[in-house]
Amino acid sequence: MTFKAYLNIMPHPELLDPQGKAVAGSMKHLKLGNISDVRIGKRIELTLSAGSEEEAGSLVQQACEKLLANQIMEHFEYRIERQVEEPAV
């Protein structure tokens, strides 16, 4: 089965986010002062093959823990959707 995984990786809330702070500061100069506390992270989409949704989740978890997220500075969350496979014509 084919699955699509949608990952969001964000800095831990207690850590300073220099990119977010710079963007939040720029909002005031663009007359968007009502926007504050900007946090910038990563969105990643993966397409994977697995025997079940649980197996797909395990693969995504391992990918995040081993490569995609720096768990000292970031946390991650994901959702998985099973892809509908088109019948061969």
Side-chain angles (χ1 to χ4, degrees):
M1 291 180 269
T2 303
F3 296 90
K4 188 89 165 196
Y6 302 92
L7 296 77
N8 289 314
I9 301 171
M10 296 294 293
H12 290 303
E14 61 273 5
L15 295 179
L16 177 66
D17 179 1
Q19 284 181 299
K21 193 125 182 108
V23 170
S26 296
M27 293 291 183
K28 292 180 180 96
H29 299 295
L30 298 172
K31 296 185 168 84
L32 297 170
N34 291 347
I35 298 173
S36 63
D37 194 28
V38 177
R39 306 289 289 174
I40 295 179
K42 300 177 272 191
R43 176 183 160 92
I44 300 171
E45 294 183 10
L46 304 174
T47 302
L48 59 143
S49 296
S52 67
E53 189 170 335
E54 292 77 23
E55 183 183 340
S58 177
L59 290 169
V60 171
Q61 184 81 24
Q62 289 178 55
C64 289
E65 291 173 352
K66 293 180 179 181
L67 179 66
L68 300 175
N70 176 348
Q71 294 184 70
I72 294 170
M73 300 172 50
E74 301 170 317
H75 66 277
F76 62 89
E77 57 186 34
Y78 60 87
R79 72 180 163 84
I80 296 174
E81 293 179 2
R82 183 172 174 195
Q83 300 296 290
V84 177
E85 297 179 22
E86 298 292 325
V89 178

